């Protein structure tokens, strides 16, 4: 029984780890990079400031998000009869919506960035849209991190 609980705890900790990394990335974008992008990025430097980082993040999350999805299913199964089953249930849209935003909207903008933007007005419009869609994910993931933190606080208080 102790080994089973330890594995469940590791599973749930992985969810918190992923939500923290995800949140940290979007808080960094929102508070440190986005305020400067419209005034500091131009035709000659936007590519190096966006594309390598987004490609690295995409590779990273391509591995971690599927594992997180499995961990959320495990959390749902282990919490199914408990009062906190709403946490993994809420993570279904909380994880799915940011992924859909990435695939449906942001990826198109990233592709335009990769093709090469030659007009500053076009760059500013793309940046505006790119930041808007990433900010949607920022708000969703902030809520989801709070939900996950609540899960751990509630669990600790029950012990």
């Amino acid at each position: 029984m102790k080994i089973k609980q330890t594995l469940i705890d590791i599973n749930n900790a992985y969810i918190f780890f992923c939500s923290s990394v995800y949140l940290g990335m979007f808080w960094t974008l929102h508070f440190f990079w986005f305020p400067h992008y419209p005034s500091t990025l131009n035709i000659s430097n936007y590519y190096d400031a966006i594309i390598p980082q987004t490609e690295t993040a995409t590779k990273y999350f391509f591995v971690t998000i599927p594992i997180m999805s499995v961990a959320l299913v495990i959390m749902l199964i282990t919490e199914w009869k408990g009062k906190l089953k709403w946490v993994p249930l809420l993570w279904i849209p909380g994880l799915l919506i940011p992924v859909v935003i990435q695939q449906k909207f942001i990826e198109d903008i990233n592709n335009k960035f990769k093709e090469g933007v030659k007009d500053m007005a076009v760059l500013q419009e793309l940046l505006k849209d790119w930041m808007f869609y990433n900010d949607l994910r920022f708000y969703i993931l902030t809520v989801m991190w709070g939900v996950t933190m609540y899960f751990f606080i509630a669990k600790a208080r029950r012990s």
Side-chain angles (χ1 to χ4, degrees):
M1 186 66 155
K2 191 169 183 137
I3 292 174
K4 180 181 176 184
Q5 188 57 52
T6 299
L7 292 173
I8 291 169
D9 292 343
I10 290 168
N11 180 80
N12 295 344
Y14 181 78
I15 294 166
F16 190 66
F17 168 77
C18 287
S19 69
S20 295
V21 170
Y22 221 177
L23 178 70
M25 184 183 74
F26 284 98
W27 273 52
T28 300
L29 282 171
H30 180 83
F31 288 111
F32 301 115
W33 295 347
F34 287 177
H36 304 286
Y37 274 4
S39 63
T40 61
L41 294 185
N42 57 54
I43 300 302
S44 64
N45 69 1
Y46 81 88
Y47 190 97
D48 290 334
I50 294 175
I51 297 306
Q53 295 81 351
T54 58
E55 287 181 346
T56 301
T58 299
K59 289 175 187 173
Y60 175 81
F61 289 113
F62 185 78
V63 172
T64 58
I65 288 175
I67 297 168
M68 185 180 183
S69 298
V70 171
L72 288 163
V73 169
I74 293 168
M75 179 191 267
L76 181 59
I77 291 167
T78 60
E79 294 296 327
W80 188 251
K81 294 181 181 177
K83 293 181 180 179
L84 295 173
K85 71 179 168 198
W86 63 270
V87 171
L89 287 172
L90 191 57
W91 260 110
I92 295 168
L95 189 58
L96 186 61
I97 293 170
V99 169
V100 169
I101 290 170
Q102 166 67 27
Q103 294 301 310
K104 186 163 175 56
F105 301 104
I106 295 171
E107 205 55 43
D108 288 341
I109 297 169
N110 286 347
N111 288 337
K112 290 176 184 173
F113 283 150
K114 288 177 193 175
E115 291 169 6
V117 179
K118 306 289 186 221
D119 180 90
M120 191 62 177
V122 171
L123 175 63
Q124 289 299 317
E125 192 61 33
L126 288 171
L127 280 173
K128 180 180 151 198
D129 292 345
W130 191 76
M131 291 185 294
F132 170 77
Y133 290 122
N134 277 303
D135 271 346
L136 288 177
R137 299 192 308 167
F138 160 82
Y139 292 115
I140 293 165
L141 293 164
T142 297
V143 169
M144 294 315 303
W145 184 90
V147 165
T148 308
M149 177 54 80
Y150 175 82
F151 175 84
F152 283 98
I153 292 169
K155 286 286 197 178
R157 288 185 176 168
R158 288 185 183 169
S159 298

